[in-house]
Amino acid sequence: MCYIVYFNIVRAKTIVNSPYNQRQDAFADRIIRGKITDKFGNVLAETLVTEDGSEIRNYPYGPAFAHVVGYSNPQTGKSGLESVENFELLTSNAFFLEKIANDFKDQKNMGDTVVTTLDADLQQAAYYALGENKGGIVVMEASTGKILAMVSGPTFDPNAIEENWDYLNSDGVGSPLLNRTTQGSYAPGSTFKVITALEFMRENSDYENYSYECNGQIEKDGIIIPCFNGNVHGYEDLRASLANSCNSSFANIGLMLDKTAYRQTAESLLFNKKLPCVFDYSKSLFQITEKSDSAEMMMTAMGQGKTMTSPYHMALITSAIANGGVLMEPYLVEKVTNHKGAQIRKNVPRRYKKLMTVEESTQLKSYMRSVIEDGVTATQLQGTSYSVAGKTGTAEYSLTDENKTHSWFIGFTNVDNPELAISVVIEGNDGDTNSNAVSIARQVLDAYYNRQ
Ligand SMILES: [Zn+2]
């Protein structure tokens, strides 16, 4: 008896959350799986019961929320929030009398509703902006850690997960079941220059006196690092180096950095570390050691080399810069209610970790504002009704063809009182400025600020 009580109360939550554990069926026999909604109550997942009593899990937005909401199907298992929130969805906090009445009629009780932090309009805008591209978009509220949108492409229709299962798992279709925002692993490209700039500031209190004369390339130990498109940037301080995204200047900075301190800074920003994330994710890698040579330092400083990260992780770092250096714990569930809307529990914003000082974040914000206002890499974000600060990136992914590139953008809006943090990766963009990450970020942010 003691064991049974222990099992039901203490262990039930872990057991039911395992996507492979068939014991959850015992719950589904008595409960109609609850709804998942966005922050405004728009239904993202619900169970429809047909006349003969069979149940169909329905996803009204189809592919737009496929990775973040996920799927729940007896044949394929569960993913996304359908997996993470399985216990809540299969628990009924329906009112007592309603439950008694259902028990008398031998009817199932309605499972609880998971109200997410997601914004259906913004998510759809991100989904349409991403279009046919492979890549990922994450939008967070910097001051709270609420995730408002999380889109990965290619995607799939969770309504047809069972029919399409073999296709979705076959080779050559681009791994549509992968959530690239968290599981993707990409060279950060020039977005990493923000972190290199932070390290340089930490090592040099007189960093504002930094100066460099760019003649289009830098050479060290037989390795030549050219600036993008053969540009010659001339005289630059640290701000101009970032605004111009000058490879030569950042390679020069890389040669000056303390390797151990650089690694400590990267790790304090959660490279080589666990991330606060409820989904499966790729750990970000930063591989500079005392043994790293000049070439690796130059490459790493400008975001190439062996450094790898995900759109999700870069969204966290960006949100911390926007939020005075403090990373808020990212979260996706606003609250759980019973099926009539009575609140069962509510999540509140929590500090996760201080990634940098207020002074450091203020300086980086100002530099990232210059990237938009003074630089030439993010002109698509000039002339907006909202202010933006950010950094673009072009990450080479081919060892033989330097024109094969992924496109990055990280940034935040309302620079004086930061609101949204956004991170975008477009795979294989190969330099097309019409569909690069910064132009896609513009579409997403315009949709947010221009809606009625
Ligand atoms: Zn340059």
Side-chain angles (χ1 to χ4, degrees):
M1 191 60 199
C2 280
Y3 177 74
I4 290 168
V5 169
Y6 169 78
F7 176 84
N8 282 340
I9 293 172
V10 182
R11 298 203 57 213
K13 185 156 184 165
T14 38
I15 295 232
V16 82
N17 271 336
S18 161
Y20 304 106
N21 199 307
Q22 296 304 311
R23 282 178 211 263
Q24 64 200 14
D25 290 349
F27 288 78
D29 283 348
R30 292 183 282 112
I31 309 274
I32 295 173
R33 190 176 186 78
K35 285 178 187 167
I36 300 174
T37 76
D38 85 337
K39 62 192 284 193
F40 302 113
N42 295 303
V43 174
L44 309 179
E46 65 187 337
T47 291
L48 306 176
V49 183
T50 60
E51 295 236 325
D52 66 0
S54 58
E55 297 173 2
I56 298 166
R57 195 67 171 161
N58 179 48
Y59 302 93
Y61 291 87
F65 286 86
H67 297 91
V68 59
V69 168
Y71 52 80
S72 171
N73 181 287
Q75 301 305 316
T76 63
K78 300 178 196 337
S79 71
L81 288 171
E82 288 275 38
S83 175
V84 175
E85 297 300 313
N86 193 41
F87 181 82
E88 280 71 18
L89 296 165
L90 286 176
T91 299
S92 179
N93 282 291
F95 295 114
F96 184 64
L97 289 178
E98 181 187 328
K99 280 185 167 178
I100 295 210
N102 281 338
D103 286 347
F104 265 110
K105 290 184 281 184
D106 202 24
Q107 286 181 351
K108 291 185 177 184
N109 286 305
M110 278 302 302
D112 291 343
T113 298
V114 171
V115 179
T116 67
T117 57
L118 296 165
D119 176 330
D121 289 344
L122 185 66
Q123 176 87 7
Q124 281 188 293
Y127 167 69
Y128 288 118
L130 186 60
E132 299 293 306
N133 293 294
K134 288 182 187 168
I137 302 173
V138 178
V139 185
M140 291 175 62
E141 206 171 75
S143 62
T144 62
K146 291 179 185 180
I147 295 171
L148 304 182
M150 178 181 262
V151 171
S152 178
T155 184
F156 59 93
D157 184 357
N159 293 300
I161 187 74
E162 196 177 328
E163 304 92 286
N164 295 337
W165 187 249
D166 290 342
Y167 170 80
L168 294 171
N169 284 287
S170 56
D171 292 337
V173 298
S175 305
L177 295 174
L178 194 73
N179 183 346
R180 283 166 157 78
T181 63
T182 59
Q183 293 172 293
S185 188
Y186 306 92
S190 297
T191 61
F192 200 78
K193 288 172 181 164
V194 174
I195 295 167
T196 302
L198 173 64
E199 175 59 18
F200 185 75
M201 286 158 51
R202 286 180 173 177
E203 290 187 30
N204 301 276
S205 56
D206 62 341
Y207 62 86
E208 285 181 290
N209 296 325
Y210 171 79
S211 72
Y212 181 77
E213 179 86 36
C214 168
N215 61 18
Q217 65 177 52
I218 186 171
E219 182 174 359
K220 168 84 177 174
D221 297 343
I223 306 288
I224 296 173
I225 306 269
C227 279
F228 191 66
N229 274 347
N231 288 327
V232 176
H233 295 112
Y235 168 80
E236 297 167 307
D237 57 8
L238 186 58
R239 177 185 299 274
S241 298
L242 197 72
N244 295 330
S245 202
C246 177
N247 288 343
S248 302
S249 180
F250 272 89
N252 177 58
I253 287 171
L255 294 170
M256 298 159 72
L257 295 179
D258 180 287
K259 291 166 189 168
T260 301
Y262 196 13
R263 187 180 179 108
Q264 281 169 352
T265 287
E267 292 188 344
S268 75
L269 300 180
L270 305 178
F271 283 82
N272 304 332
K273 302 284 181 190
K274 285 184 184 166
L275 297 179
C277 184
V278 294
F279 298 143
D280 291 340
Y281 65 91
S282 297
K283 208 189 251 188
S284 295
L285 300 177
F286 182 84
Q287 306 202 44
I288 291 295
T289 66
E290 281 302 319
K291 291 179 184 153
S292 300
D293 61 13
S294 304
E296 196 179 345
M297 285 300 283
M298 290 194 290
M299 296 293 280
T300 300
M302 50 179 269
Q304 290 292 151
K306 299 174 187 162
T307 307
M308 298 297 275
T309 190
S310 64
Y312 178 78
H313 185 193
M314 291 308 285
L316 301 189
I317 292 171
T318 306
S319 74
I321 294 169
N323 193 42
V326 174
L327 172 61
M328 299 302 289
E329 183 162 342
Y331 65 105
L332 275 158
V333 175
E334 177 72 39
K335 60 182 177 178
V336 176
T337 71
N338 75 7
H339 76 108
K340 293 271 176 69
Q343 184 174 304
I344 309 301
R345 66 174 173 82
K346 184 171 169 51
N347 285 330
V348 292
R350 272 190 282 262
R351 286 167 65 110
Y352 182 74
K353 188 171 189 269
K354 190 172 178 67
L355 300 192
M356 64 195 75
T357 65
V358 174
E359 293 73 24
E360 288 166 344
S361 79
T362 302
Q363 190 64 68
L364 290 180
K365 275 194 242 185
S366 170
Y367 286 167
M368 290 166 79
R369 183 72 183 129
S370 289
V371 169
I372 309 293
E373 287 186 319
D374 308 331
V376 296
T377 59
T379 51
Q380 297 100 316
L381 275 166
Q382 292 173 350
T384 51
S385 60
Y386 44 90
S387 64
V388 192
K391 184 71 193 80
T392 59
T394 304
E396 294 178 17
Y397 62 89
S398 167
L399 293 174
T400 53
D401 185 350
E402 63 181 15
N403 295 315
K404 295 271 180 216
T405 52
H406 300 321
S407 174
W408 272 96
F409 180 74
I410 57 171
F412 54 92
T413 61
N414 277 356
V415 180
D416 294 333
N417 187 16
E419 190 176 14
L420 303 184
I422 184 168
S423 169
V424 179
V425 168
I426 305 301
E427 288 181 24
N429 167 259
D430 300 346
D432 175 7
T433 51
N434 292 317
S435 64
N436 65 6
V438 65
S439 64
I440 284 172
R442 167 91 196 233
Q443 289 177 51
V444 174
L445 298 174
D446 275 358
Y448 184 84
Y449 286 103
N450 298 340
R451 71 172 150 196
Q452 299 305 309

